[in-house]
Structure formats: C-alpha cells, structure tokens
Amino acid sequence: MRIVHIAAEMAPIAKVGGLGDVVGGLSSVLSKQKGIDISVILPKYKSLKTQYLKDLKIIKKNFKIFERSRWQVVNIYLAKVNGVQVYLIEDKKNYFSKKPKIYGYKYDVHRFLFFCKAVLEFLKADFRKIDIIHIHDWHTAVIAPLYKDIYSKNLKHKAKIVLSIHNLQYQGLCKPKDIKNLGFNGKYYLTKEKLKDPNRPKTLNLLKGGLVYSDIIIPVSENYAKEIMTKELGCNLEKITQKYKKKIKGVLNGIDQNFWRPEKDKDIKYKYSSKSSLKKFIDAKNNNKKELQKILNLDEDDKPLICSIGRLVSQKGPDLIKAAILESIKVGAQFVLLGSALDKKITNSFKKLQKDLKKNKNVSLNFEHNEKLSHKFFSAADFIIIPSLFEPCGLTQIIGFKYGVMPIVRETGGLADTVFDLDDKTISKEKRNGFTFTKFLISSQTSTLKRAINFFKKDQNEFYEIVHKNMKLDFSWEKTAKKYLTIYKKVL
Ligand code: ADP
C-alpha cells in the first residue's frame, strides 16, 4: 500500500503544535510496517531543523509550476527523517524557503495553495501509483477537490483521499480568483455543494472542500468527532459535518513514545521511567524540579509545581490560565508557563501579568517555542493545567502522563477522552487519573485546582503512586497506527 501524507508540519523537522507531532509520529510508525510504502511531502521551510534530515538530495531541479499566468519553478528534495521518506518543495518565490516562520503571514492561503499545486504536479509527474493521499487541516485540504476533479481524471488507479482534522477552527478562506491563479476554474467551486463558505457567499472555504471531497474524515479524537457536528464547536461547518457524518471516524492521537521518554530524554538531567522504584521516581522528579527552579530563578523548595505549555491563543483559555497562575500562588504552589507567542494581544496581557509578578519567585512566564525547555517542564512539574475552550485531541496531557505529571483539564474534545477525575465515583477507580471540570469558567477551574492541590498536600505518596502508574498508559503510535491502517484498508 502506497501512502502519501501532505502536510504543513512534521516533527521534529517542522513543528508548531500537535499537527507536527501527528505527522511525524504516525508516518514513522507506519514506515516500519511490512507492505507499507509511506512518504511525507512538506514545504522546504527556512526554519527546517536540518540536523534531522538524512541523505538529503535534490531530485528535481527547476520543476515548472504554472501560477499567476506564468511559470514558477521549484526544486524538489528527498531526505529521510526517522526512516520516513520526506519530499521537500523549495520555492523561489517568497513563500517558504526564505521566510523565517512556518505560519503567520497575511498571505498564508496563497502560500499553501501554491504548495498544494506544486505537490499535485509533482505526483502527476512521478507516475507511481498511490493508494492513499492523506491530507491534514486546511493547508492541504484543496488537494481533495483538485485531485478528484482534475488530477485523477485520466488515472486508471485513483487514490483515496483521507483528511485529518486537527483543528476545525482554521479553515483557509479565499476567493475564486485565487484558485484561478493556480490555473483552474475558481468559480466552478463557488457553489453550496462544493467550496462556497456557508456564511460568505463570495468566498471559498478550503477546509469545507476537504470535507466535501475526501473519502474519509478523521478528527483527532472520538469526542471531537462528535463535537464538530454541533453548533457550539462546528465552527460554522456543522451542517457540512452532519451531512457527511458517515465519512467521519474519530481516532485519538498517539505520541512518539521513543521521543517522549524520560529514561532516555537528553534534555533532562535526572532520568526515570515507569519501571523505576517509586522512591527513585520521586527523587528524580524532585531533582528535576530543583534544576528547573534554578534555571528559572524560582524559590527552590518542594511546593507543588503547576505548568502550562502551549500556543497562547484564545482556544487555550488564556483568561483561565492567567487566573490559574494567580490562584496557584494563593494556595502555595508554583506556576511555570511556556507559551508560544502567536497572538500579540493575548501575549501582551500575559506580559502585563509578568510585570506585575516580577518579584514573585513562585512564577515564571516564558514566551517562546522552546522544545528543550518543554521537556524540562514535563520532567519537573507535578501538574499540567489545560483549561481549553475546545481541544481536538490535546497532546500535553498525554505527554504529561508519560512524564509523571497529573493533568487538570476542562472536559472537552480529546481531554475528555483521556483524563478522568480522581473524585468521580461513577468511573472505575482504575481509570481515574487526573482532575477535570466541565464549565469554561474561572470559578469551576479554581475549585478543581484547589481539589488538586489539596490532594497533593494531603498524601504525597498517594499522589506519586498515581502519576507513576499513569506513566504506563499506552498512547503509542503503534496502537493508534493500527486504527489508521484499518481505515486505509476499509476505504480502499
Ligand atoms: P495544539 O496542536 O493545539 O498546538 P497540542 O496539545 O495538540 O496543541 O500539541 C502541542 C504540542 O506542541 C505539544 O507537543 C507541546 O509540547 C508543543 N508545544 C506547544 N507550545 C510549545 C512551546 N511554547 N514550546 C515548546 N513546545 C510547545
């Protein structure tokens, strides 16, 4: 079976959030399966972590792509990343190869439309038969209509299209002329049955196109699969997701358990594993906590340490996170935040709080994307707080489990599929593993945070026994990849 993933991110070479983890983790596990030929196609970003690329070579020079009434040229490279064949498309425009960031430009839609056209032209010129084209989120969603309507027309063997939904909120809006710029009939797609946006009659919605044209849609958790059909979380596409309900199958993400592995993690000083004795585990966690306190210039004591790691955007509940910071200090805990500063207004509100708390040695707020520091956070923290408004899957609670960190989460999306409240007697004791709250309110979060801290303070041994046991939970890609393979086989 030949599978081609086309995406905007792939860990570890190009990662902003969970999308990168999924493409990297899933493709790496599938590449080890017998009878599977898997490759990933990505833009050749300037920020690509080239140290992970093996055997990089150019395979097509000055490959011509028609765009904006003229021929543009790209170079195509091939490399191996964790055993996976990765094709990298290098543009000579100002789209990817000269830009420092992966996203965040006004013309992101044009950048990814161009990428998708280049990929389709490359696949056409490549001639090899493909069974599954697996696309991810809005960035590559346009592949579905263009492949089905145009590129597969003369093919004897047509690939099936699988669309993963990592986040329905980002949809990729454009005008028919943007599709015309690729050399296709943009107006053809401006109909209710095709790509017309449900709320903007002159606008095309690329993600909607993916939903309509793909053969299977995979939201990244079972709960999120249900949520995207509701008015609250359907992001104006709920009528479409309801219409195509039969194509939707939620699959919870896995994590790369070789990468997220505290016994081998080179970014943490004191290693530990689920097999360590409880004493060794507690000692290592406490020593890592002291290390982090030193690095961040915090008071060095054994207060409970709460962390938050994520993109600072409205989805992640920034007001609740800020409230959690203040509440943590009040109840005698420490709080460390590692937030990717993607939204100026939200980041500035955190910076204000940082200024107000400048002298407080129990809080450290860090505004950057820092992979190494995130590992140190996971190795040192007792709790991770995730009060998201919505969360398609959420990886930080899962990584948290692997590092002996107890999650405190709002029950939504994949968080509700993975975290079960320690006080909820309706759930079997075996399954309970963290703390949860339902309402997206500071007051609900505060009472849950207090319950969590009291639990920690009341009996630390019991707390550590639970988080140590949680480390054994199986979120491996090996397990999850089987579900994807079953779906691939079924759709074929
Ligand atoms: P999302 O995909 O919405 O960003 P997820 O929880 O699914 O959220 O995945 C986030 C991933 O990105 C995790 O691997 C997390 O550790 C990582 N991450 C998020 N923010 C940062 C940051 N500021 N520094 C380092 N890693 C981060």
Side-chain angles (χ1 to χ4, degrees):
M1 187 190 304
R2 183 159 180 244
I3 307 161
V4 178
H5 279 254
I6 306 162
E9 296 182 37
M10 178 191 189
I13 55 171
K15 168 175 156 179
V16 177
L19 166 61
D21 286 313
V22 174
V23 176
L26 177 61
S27 60
S28 166
V29 167
L30 286 177
S31 72
K32 293 180 187 91
Q33 304 267 336
K34 253 197 192 155
I36 300 286
D37 171 357
I38 187 159
S39 44
V40 177
I41 311 183
L42 284 182
K44 192 166 185 290
Y45 299 107
K46 189 178 174 196
S47 60
L48 222 53
K49 300 228 168 81
T50 47
Q51 69 269 32
Y52 296 104
L53 299 175
K54 283 221 175 94
D55 309 328
L56 178 70
K57 59 177 183 238
I58 190 159
I59 57 160
K60 268 189 198 297
K61 239 184 177 172
N62 295 329
F63 184 61
K64 282 171 146 182
I65 312 292
F66 196 72
E67 189 221 18
R68 291 173 198 267
S69 316
R70 64 179 72 92
W71 290 101
Q72 315 285 356
V73 287
V74 297
N75 292 330
I76 302 174
Y77 293 76
L78 177 61
K80 282 225 157 172
V81 177
N82 289 333
V84 181
Q85 298 187 76
V86 179
Y87 294 93
L88 299 161
I89 306 221
E90 179 182 61
D91 67 293
K92 297 191 179 172
K93 301 192 58 152
N94 209 4
Y95 279 162
F96 301 104
S97 309
K98 293 179 197 150
K99 284 270 172 242
K101 290 189 294 185
I102 290 181
Y103 311 116
Y105 300 103
K106 262 195 203 135
Y107 54 98
D108 274 353
V109 169
H110 302 138
R111 298 167 71 223
F112 285 102
L113 280 175
F114 178 75
F115 169 64
C116 289
K117 166 122 194 214
V119 170
L120 285 164
E121 289 293 326
F122 167 56
L123 293 179
K124 186 174 143 192
D126 188 54
F127 290 121
R128 280 178 296 164
K129 162 181 156 249
I130 304 172
D131 297 300
I132 300 283
I133 294 180
H134 194 144
I135 53 181
H136 298 262
D137 276 356
W138 75 266
H139 324 100
T140 51
V142 78
I143 300 261
L146 296 183
Y147 180 81
K148 289 265 167 121
D149 284 345
I150 298 156
Y151 284 86
S152 68
K153 270 285 170 266
N154 297 321
L155 290 180
K156 256 199 214 140
H157 180 90
K158 295 184 189 350
K160 296 289 181 191
I161 307 252
V162 176
L163 167 69
S164 276
I165 305 277
H166 303 263
N167 197 327
L168 196 76
Q169 188 183 36
Y170 305 103
Q171 299 177 358
L173 302 178
C174 67
K175 298 287 176 217
K177 81 167 185 332
D178 298 316
I179 300 290
K180 193 171 167 236
N181 281 340
L182 300 180
F184 309 116
N185 182 351
K187 282 206 181 125
Y188 169 77
Y189 288 106
L190 195 65
T191 69
K192 197 172 153 219
E193 292 68 36
K194 298 192 169 76
L195 273 67
K196 186 160 93 175
D197 185 78
N199 293 334
R200 303 166 188 89
K202 292 183 178 158
T203 299
L204 298 177
N205 183 316
L206 300 177
L207 187 60
K208 181 189 164 194
L211 294 169
V212 172
Y213 278 85
S214 59
D215 296 292
I216 289 281
I217 299 160
I218 309 187
V220 290
S221 70
E222 284 176 25
N223 199 28
Y224 193 55
K226 289 184 210 143
E227 289 174 344
I228 60 169
M229 290 182 233
T230 64
K231 190 159 174 33
E232 294 72 42
L233 294 177
C235 303
N236 292 319
L237 291 177
E238 60 276 8
K239 296 233 163 73
I240 312 298
T241 45
Q242 285 159 13
K243 181 173 172 190
Y244 293 104
K245 192 177 169 187
K246 285 208 174 117
K247 295 200 288 190
I248 300 178
K249 173 100 185 77
V251 178
L252 187 79
N253 285 336
I255 57 166
D256 184 342
Q257 298 196 147
N258 280 322
F259 182 72
W260 296 110
R261 200 171 169 201
E263 65 260 51
K264 286 262 154 71
D265 191 328
K266 58 184 181 348
D267 296 320
I268 67 174
K269 192 156 173 190
Y270 298 93
K271 323 274 188 221
Y272 56 97
S273 82
S274 61
K275 292 188 194 102
S276 314
S277 67
L278 189 63
K279 182 175 178 316
K280 191 173 173 238
F281 165 69
I282 298 174
D283 286 349
K285 287 284 308 181
N286 281 328
N287 286 330
N288 286 323
K289 189 187 281 187
K290 287 209 180 82
E291 278 296 309
L292 186 69
Q293 287 165 333
K294 258 188 226 146
I295 294 170
L296 300 177
N297 197 22
L298 292 174
D299 274 348
E300 283 175 45
D301 61 30
D302 54 6
K303 284 181 180 150
L305 178 65
I306 303 169
C307 76
S308 164
I309 301 167
R311 296 176 296 120
L312 292 178
V313 293
S314 59
Q315 174 201 337
K316 304 287 176 183
D319 289 337
L320 273 72
I321 297 175
K322 278 183 279 176
I325 295 171
L326 296 173
E327 188 59 32
S328 302
I329 311 171
K330 248 199 220 161
V331 296
Q334 286 189 333
F335 199 105
V336 292
L337 174 129
L338 180 57
S340 304
L342 300 169
D343 181 309
K344 246 197 184 146
K345 214 167 137 201
I346 294 173
T347 308
N348 283 343
S349 73
F350 275 91
K351 285 195 173 156
K352 187 179 172 301
L353 184 66
Q354 185 186 44
K355 217 169 147 196
D356 296 344
L357 297 172
K358 207 167 79 192
K359 292 203 179 106
N360 194 308
K361 290 224 164 189
N362 288 310
V363 177
S364 171
L365 309 184
N366 306 273
F367 309 108
E368 57 175 329
H369 184 97
N370 187 332
E371 186 73 44
K372 279 180 190 302
L373 194 55
S374 77
H375 291 234
K376 293 190 201 308
F377 271 39
F378 284 118
S379 72
D382 298 301
F383 294 100
I384 182 158
I385 191 151
I386 317 170
S388 302
L389 179 60
F390 69 93
E391 195 59 75
C393 173
L395 291 177
T396 52
Q397 82 280 16
I398 297 178
I399 300 168
F401 283 136
K402 287 283 135 195
Y403 279 70
V405 186
M406 185 173 278
I408 304 171
V409 307
R410 180 164 171 262
E411 278 174 38
T412 180
L415 297 171
D417 282 345
T418 49
V419 185
F420 305 98
D421 197 286
L422 282 161
D423 290 328
D424 187 345
K425 304 262 176 353
T426 65
I427 303 168
S428 74
K429 198 162 180 207
E430 227 3 66
K431 216 174 160 186
R432 291 181 232 160
N433 54 18
F435 288 93
T436 69
F437 58 99
T438 46
K439 293 198 176 123
F440 188 65
L441 291 174
I442 289 176
S443 55
S444 308
Q445 174 184 261
T446 303
S447 59
T448 305
L449 187 64
K450 279 185 182 153
R451 274 197 298 127
I453 299 296
N454 284 339
F455 186 85
F456 179 91
K457 288 187 175 165
K458 201 175 85 200
D459 187 346
Q460 282 200 22
N461 231 43
E462 191 186 357
F463 172 86
Y464 283 119
E465 265 171 22
I466 293 171
V467 285
H468 192 219
K469 195 181 88 189
N470 286 347
M471 288 179 74
K472 292 204 171 87
L473 291 170
D474 183 4
F475 290 105
S476 64
W477 268 115
E478 281 77 7
K479 186 174 149 194
T480 309
K482 278 190 194 141
K483 295 187 183 160
Y484 276 85
L485 270 182
T486 309
I487 293 174
Y488 291 158
K489 283 180 188 154
K490 211 167 158 195
V491 74
L492 286 173

